[in-house]
């Protein structure tokens, strides 16, 4: 541990302070200390880090090889972060009270930072971790200072086993228990078809699948037995956040709301005897377009649908039409609500994304810069930035307040398969036209990690609920689970006989 060596004047103590793990680092430090350490000029009470800073300065002045100096400078920065940690925190298991570890943290560190260190200590990536302090369950973005954590306090860890749901063109969906790394059950959606999507209910054991033949089915994820089937040919569908209902888009161009327990259709989202929203010249043209997309708001109260160049919002309870949104010059491909549900963002084939005020229908921002159609658009967790992905081979990050593109992230082979913010908004996860998944800093645009191991292109990638893991689905018929702290592939999930369309980690 670095902590505990705050006052250490000797050459040997500085060496110990470095916690050197590699022979190369040891040689680099030893060389500089041997050349520039001045024991006679060093006070018995001088801080050991100050000694090392002085050594680095002397090496720079003397023109020592830059790579050698940079190696030591990097370690020095790491040590400075360590000794600035002011909180000693006791970590115990929430149920048994067992002592798990003791850590030193900075008050500005977040609960997510604390979870990451506990993960490193425990070595079990098959569980999601949450922090309980006093009577509060800490949000991942909350800092320890804001939560009121003080030096010497005890926090409790809640561990939740994780599973990975995979869906494949081989016609099956599989649930893998990540603690055991085994395929727990296999759900067959359609022996003669391919699965195009699969999702688990947020509140029950129900699994929802859609096949390429238009069959939408609900299954028990524990037994693999079919529960019910949604009537008609379904193109896409998804659960509400509360898990009580499902919204679907059917081949007849109608969006429907279904009961997730019984599979009974509760409501059709369509206007009776009139077009979708007012005296617009383009509405007749758009009435003939197929309805292509439908999704719930975060609180499950509203639904957005996309037909042609028009997006429309409906009340989820009762299916009442609320408002239509006009302005795009070509077909809308995707739409999503902001985290608070007050705004909506739409992605269009006209190479733009638009931000709308849900209550007024006003277009607040037009995001221009892409050169080909925009495939998806989402808000960051705090709603202050947006992320778009386009056929032009780029992923772009936008500032909400200015509407300006703050950075453009390139995709391998100019193909973007999926892109998403991390749960704290600090990173962007991109699966593109290669076998590599990349993590970018959302602040600088720098690629901070590349995850390599798949043998064919990656179709999609997604974070785990606690943001510590990434699941990737590939055309090589496998899914992989990655530890984003180390970049290591911790599990390879096999069993599918055809390309995977998705891999999702759920608790």
């Amino acid at each position: 541990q670095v902590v505990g060596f705050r006052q250490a004047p000797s050459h040997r103590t500085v060496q110990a302070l470095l916690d050197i793990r590699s022979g190369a680092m040891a040689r680099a430090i030893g060389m500089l200390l041997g050349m520039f350490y001045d024991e006679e000029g060093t006070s018995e009470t001088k801080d050991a880090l100050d000694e090392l800073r002085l050594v680095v300065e002397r090496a720079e002045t003397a023109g020592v090889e830059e790579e050698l100096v940079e190696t030591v400078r990097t370690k020095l920065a790491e040590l400075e972060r360590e000794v600035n940690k002011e909180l000693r925190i006791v970590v115990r298991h929430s149920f048994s009270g067992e002592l798990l570890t003791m850590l030193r943290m900075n008050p500005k560190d977040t609960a997510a930072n604390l979870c990451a260190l506990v993960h490193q200590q425990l070595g079990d990536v098959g569980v999601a971790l949450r922090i309980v302090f006093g009577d509060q369950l800490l949000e991942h973005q909350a800092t320890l200072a804001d939560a009121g954590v003080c030096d010497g306090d005890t926090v409790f860890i809640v561990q939740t086993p994780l599973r990975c749901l995979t869906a494949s063109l081989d016609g099956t969906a599989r649930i893998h228990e990540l603690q055991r790394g085994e395929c727990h059950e296999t759900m067959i959606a359609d022996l003669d078809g391919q699965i195009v999507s699969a999702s688990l209910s947020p509140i029950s054991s129900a699994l929802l699948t859609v096949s390429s033949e238009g069959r939408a089915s609900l299954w028990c994820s524990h037994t693999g037995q079919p529960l019910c089937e949604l009537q008609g040919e379904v193109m896409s569908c998804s659960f509400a956040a509360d898990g009580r209902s499902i919204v679907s888009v059917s081949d007849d161009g109608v969006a429907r709301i279904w009961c997730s327990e019984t599979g009974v259709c509760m409501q059709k989202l369509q206007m009776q005897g009139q077009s979708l929203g007012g005296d617009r010249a383009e509405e007749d043209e758009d009435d003939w377009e197929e309805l292509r997309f439908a999704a719930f708001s975060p609180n499950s109260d509203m639904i957005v649908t996309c037909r042609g160049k028009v997006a429309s919002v409906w009340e989820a309870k009762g299916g009442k039409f609320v408002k239509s949104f006009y302005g795009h010059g070509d077909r809308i491909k995707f739409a999503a609500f902001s985290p608070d549900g007050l705004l909506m963002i739409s992605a269009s084939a006209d190479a733009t994304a638009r931000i709308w005020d849900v209550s007024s229908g006003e277009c607040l921002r037009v995001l221009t810069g892409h050169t080909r159609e925009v495939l998806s658009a989402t808000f960051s967790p705090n709603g202050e930035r947006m992320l778009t992905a386009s056929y032009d081979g780029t992923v772009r990050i936008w500032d909400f307040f200015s509407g300006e593109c703050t950075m453009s992230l390139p995709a391998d082979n100019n193909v973007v398969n999926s892109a998403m913010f991390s749960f704290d908004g600090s990173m962007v996860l991109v699966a593109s036209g290669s076998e590599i998944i990349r993590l970018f800093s959302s602040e600088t645009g720098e690629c901070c990690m590349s995850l390599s191991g798949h043998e064919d292109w990656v179709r999609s990638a997604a974070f785990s609920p606690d943001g510590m893991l990434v699941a990737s689905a590939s055309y090589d018929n496998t899914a992989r689970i990655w530890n984003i702290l180390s970049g290591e592939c911790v599990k390879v999930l096999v069993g599918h006989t055809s390309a995977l369309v998705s891999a999702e980690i759920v608790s």
Side-chain angles (χ1 to χ4, degrees), residues 105-348:
M105 305 290 293
N106 189 293
K108 294 181 181 179
D109 286 335
T110 64
N113 298 141
L114 179 54
C115 286
L117 287 177
V118 175
H119 262 299
Q120 286 181 320
Q121 296 279 338
L122 300 182
D124 185 0
V125 298
V127 295
L129 302 181
R130 294 297 301 273
I131 305 295
V132 175
F133 177 63
D135 59 355
Q136 56 181 327
L137 183 65
L138 303 189
E139 296 296 329
H140 287 307
Q141 299 92 334
T143 67
L144 300 179
D146 289 342
V149 179
C150 298
D151 186 38
D153 279 343
T154 297
V155 300
F156 294 88
I157 291 289
V158 178
Q159 296 176 297
T160 305
L162 293 174
R163 301 175 290 168
C164 184
L165 170 63
T166 57
S168 169
L169 298 181
D170 66 7
T172 68
R174 294 172 179 258
I175 295 178
H176 310 258
E177 300 290 345
L178 295 185
Q179 286 182 295
R180 296 199 303 265
E182 302 170 353
C183 181
H184 174 57
E185 292 287 350
T186 301
M187 270 55 70
I188 305 299
D190 191 334
L191 290 174
D192 299 320
Q194 302 173 330
I195 290 187
V196 296
S197 71
S199 57
L200 281 164
S201 168
I203 63 168
S204 71
S205 61
L207 168 68
L208 175 63
T209 61
V210 180
S211 77
S212 58
E213 305 298 319
R215 178 194 263 168
S217 305
L218 284 164
W219 313 77
C220 175
S221 64
H222 297 313
T223 66
Q225 296 300 308
L227 300 176
C228 58
E229 190 171 309
L230 308 187
Q231 297 302 308
E233 291 192 18
V234 176
M235 298 164 59
S236 66
C237 57
S238 59
F239 284 105
D242 62 14
R244 297 174 182 173
S245 52
I246 296 167
V247 64
S248 72
V249 174
S250 301
D251 67 339
D252 59 4
V254 176
R256 291 175 170 84
I257 303 173
W258 309 79
C259 174
S260 62
E261 293 184 2
T262 63
V264 171
C265 178
M266 301 187 294
Q267 194 70 45
K268 291 183 179 182
L269 303 183
Q270 61 181 147
M271 301 290 289
Q272 299 296 326
Q274 55 181 309
S275 300
L276 294 180
D279 302 324
R280 296 280 184 164
E282 65 260 47
E283 64 186 19
D284 291 337
E285 174 187 341
D286 289 313
D287 283 346
W288 291 101
E289 290 272 5
E290 291 184 1
L291 189 144
R292 294 175 177 269
F293 181 86
F296 282 99
S297 62
N299 63 5
S300 306
D301 287 345
M302 310 290 281
I303 293 172
V304 59
T305 61
C306 302
R307 183 194 299 274
K309 294 175 283 187
V310 180
S312 300
V313 168
W314 315 73
E315 292 180 0
K317 186 176 181 179
K320 180 183 177 182
F321 169 75
V322 177
K323 193 176 295 293
S324 284
F325 302 80
Y326 296 89
H328 278 296
D330 206 337
R331 182 174 300 162
I332 298 175
K333 310 284 290 185
F334 185 89
F337 289 94
S338 60
D340 60 11
L342 301 179
L343 304 175
M344 182 185 69
I345 188 169
S346 55
S348 170

Side-chain angles (χ1 to χ4, degrees), residues 328-386:
H328 278 296
D330 206 337
R331 182 174 300 162
I332 298 175
K333 310 284 290 185
F334 185 89
F337 289 94
S338 60
D340 60 11
L342 301 179
L343 304 175
M344 182 185 69
I345 188 169
S346 55
S348 170
D350 66 7
T352 72
R354 288 176 177 252
I355 301 173
W356 311 85
D357 183 292
V358 172
S359 62
S360 69
E362 178 186 0
C363 178
L364 304 177
R365 303 279 188 276
V366 180
L367 309 182
T368 59
H370 284 295
T371 58
R372 297 185 61 187
E373 61 185 87
V374 182
L375 304 173
S376 65
T378 56
F379 287 93
S380 63
N382 64 7
E384 295 181 358
R385 290 182 291 180
M386 293 75 64

Side-chain angles (χ1 to χ4, degrees), residues 415-436:
V415 175
V416 183
N417 287 326
S418 70
M420 69 179 297
F421 279 111
S422 60
F423 292 103
D424 63 0
S426 65
M427 293 186 292
V428 174
L429 176 67
V430 178
S432 54
S434 76
E435 302 86 0
I436 301 173

Side-chain angles (χ1 to χ4, degrees), residues 424-472:
D424 63 0
S426 65
M427 293 186 292
V428 174
L429 176 67
V430 178
S432 54
S434 76
E435 302 86 0
I436 301 173
I437 308 106
R438 302 190 191 277
L439 282 162
F440 296 88
S441 166
S442 62
E443 297 294 336
T444 66
E446 176 188 0
C447 180
C448 46
M449 186 171 291
S450 296
L451 308 177
S452 302
H454 279 294
E455 297 177 359
D456 205 338
W457 284 17
V458 178
R459 176 78 174 260
S460 68
F463 286 101
S464 62
D466 62 357
M468 297 293 106
L469 302 175
V470 164
S472 57

